[in-house]
Amino acid sequence: MGDEFGCANRGRRTVLGVTDTTREDALTAVLPSLSDAFGLGAVSDRRFLAHGLMNRNWRLATAAGVFALKEITDVPLPKVRRNLAVLLDLAREGIPVPAPLSAANGDLVAEVGGHGYCVLPWVEGEHLQGTDLPLDQVRDLGALLGRLHEGLRRHGPGAVPEQAPAAKVRDVAEADRAAAGLLSRLPSAPVTDFDKAAVEALHDRRGLLARYADARPDGDVPTGPHGWTHGDFQYRNLLRRGGRVVAVLDWDRLGVRAYGEEVARTAQVQFGVGGVFDLDRVAAFCSGYRSVIDLSEGDLADAVKRLWWKRLTDFWQLEFYLDRQDPTFGEMFLADEALLNWWTDRADEVQAAYAAR
């Protein structure tokens, strides 16, 4: 099932002094109570999924079947309960989401040993990057996102405000200060290849900020329809089998957003690979989505420009790299930096691909 709820990573590691061994010891102590709470029966095998960054996940083989167990570390438990309840309704409609198990007391989250846990059925499948999909499957993926938004319109966890939530549009001066601050945290005489590349990228980014200061989007409220959205609809959170999506995972970021925001971000993460956009696949994905939900060309253009500006003024991957010393985030920073430069040089081509019917 891959990483049930977090971003991808490689190998075993130590984060903030917590090792995988520590995690296994902690699970051993609470597993009997969790098995009783969720009616799993005897556990015959368990495997820690080391590639989760935000939460801790295991594959459990039990007398009752095979399940994904998640220890919740990154999201408040009330929010997790709210999100899991939505999955039950979506699953009943035939949308490919794993329906969570209820504990004996009816709760979707069991609190044991000071931590919260949830259990979902294990789904076999693979994570395929968007650029590995044929165009017909890319179009189907866009249509699936549209159906997901329609399902959330019916089964979202609360009322949707009349106006789309504001999304902060960072100003150039603030972004430039952030870049300068990150430069001060990197070696003044960089030795490693990464440090050299990061320093060069930050200097280049400051140049882009100065050059495109007048391109800041107008206002903090995006245009177009809005409602409950998944929040991280991308290949690491999609399991595929037999040419179709069999499970949409990781619902921690469920929230109200402009639909265009999720469409634009999904296409960028899925098809912005190797420092370039696969524009044919961006077009197929957006065409599939717009066959389900009528998102206008102008609303999509607004969303794409806002996403570009966000990438131009944000440095979260490098900040995570420096804070956590996890090389995965460093790789993400350099890959997105290459894409940002390619995108900026070809902004009209990118907008045209998003606008495709």
Side-chain angles (χ1 to χ4, degrees):
M1 192 168 182
D3 177 15
E4 177 75 18
F5 297 94
C7 299
N9 196 9
R10 298 191 181 96
R12 297 175 69 85
R13 55 187 166 78
T14 299
V15 179
L16 301 179
V18 179
T19 65
D20 292 350
T21 301
T22 305
R23 293 170 176 176
E24 286 297 295
D25 291 344
L27 179 66
T28 299
V30 301
L31 193 52
S33 296
L34 290 172
S35 181
D36 288 343
F38 288 103
L40 303 181
V43 177
S44 58
D45 182 66
R46 73 174 186 262
R47 175 163 55 90
F48 177 63
L49 306 179
H51 44 278
L53 291 181
M54 303 304 179
N55 294 291
R56 303 171 189 172
N57 308 285
W58 290 265
R59 179 186 185 275
L60 300 181
T62 78
V66 183
F67 301 95
L69 169 68
K70 169 184 173 181
E71 179 188 345
I72 302 154
T73 62
D74 199 53
V75 183
L77 297 188
K79 184 177 180 181
V80 173
R81 289 185 172 96
R82 180 201 74 173
N83 295 354
L84 291 174
V86 171
L87 298 190
L88 291 171
D89 290 327
L90 294 178
R92 292 188 190 105
E93 285 203 1
I95 293 176
V97 297
L101 273 66
S102 296
N105 62 1
D107 200 343
L108 297 175
V109 174
E111 297 184 52
V112 179
H115 295 279
Y117 298 85
C118 62
V119 176
L120 298 100
W122 185 266
V123 181
E124 292 293 343
E126 58 182 338
H127 302 287
L128 292 180
Q129 206 159 38
T131 49
D132 293 332
L133 303 178
L135 287 177
D136 60 334
Q137 292 183 23
V138 171
R139 192 176 190 280
D140 289 345
L141 184 64
L144 173 59
L145 181 59
R147 290 198 296 114
L148 195 62
H149 286 171
E150 286 190 329
L152 288 171
R153 187 182 297 162
R154 292 186 292 272
H155 302 297
V160 174
E162 290 187 9
Q163 181 174 283
K168 178 175 169 52
V169 179
R170 201 175 197 181
D171 64 45
V172 167
E174 181 184 355
D176 188 67
R177 286 194 298 271
L182 289 168
L183 279 169
S184 70
R185 297 178 63 184
L186 290 165
S188 56
V191 176
T192 69
D193 289 342
F194 175 80
D195 287 343
K196 292 176 182 176
V199 168
E200 181 179 355
L202 286 171
H203 284 301
D204 289 346
R205 183 83 76 90
R206 297 183 80 180
L208 283 178
L209 286 167
R211 191 179 317 154
Y212 291 97
D214 294 337
R216 184 179 189 273
D218 296 329
D220 290 340
V221 179
T223 66
H226 63 281
W228 290 99
T229 64
H230 177 274
D232 199 16
F233 191 84
Q234 44 106 342
Y235 73 94
R236 297 183 185 93
N237 295 327
L238 301 173
L239 280 175
R240 306 186 68 91
R241 189 172 67 245
R244 63 188 183 91
V245 174
V246 292
V248 181
L249 310 175
D250 190 356
W251 288 80
D252 289 347
R253 299 182 188 176
L254 177 67
V256 175
R257 301 174 182 87
Y259 290 153
E261 178 182 330
E262 179 143 85
V263 173
R265 180 185 183 274
T266 296
Q268 183 243 300
V269 177
Q270 294 274 118
F271 313 115
V273 178
V276 302
F277 269 113
D278 185 323
L279 296 179
D280 288 340
R281 282 173 170 76
V282 169
F285 175 80
C286 291
S287 175
Y289 181 87
R290 296 171 79 194
S291 72
V292 178
I293 291 183
D294 186 18
L295 191 62
S296 75
E297 184 175 329
D299 293 336
L300 256 179
D302 178 73
V304 174
K305 181 176 181 180
R306 288 175 185 276
L307 181 62
W308 167 77
W309 185 263
K310 184 175 182 179
R311 299 294 182 249
L312 179 66
T313 58
D314 193 23
F315 306 91
W316 74 268
Q317 301 102 322
L318 185 56
E319 291 165 352
F320 270 42
Y321 167 77
L322 293 172
D323 291 341
R324 304 184 184 196
Q325 290 301 300
D326 189 322
T328 300
F329 292 112
E331 295 166 9
M332 291 170 66
F333 170 72
L334 294 181
D336 280 2
E337 200 68 22
L339 180 64
L340 173 65
N341 282 280
W342 188 94
W343 184 354
T344 302
D345 290 341
R346 298 165 179 81
D348 290 343
E349 296 174 45
V350 174
Q351 285 284 17
Y354 272 95
R357 283 284 190 184

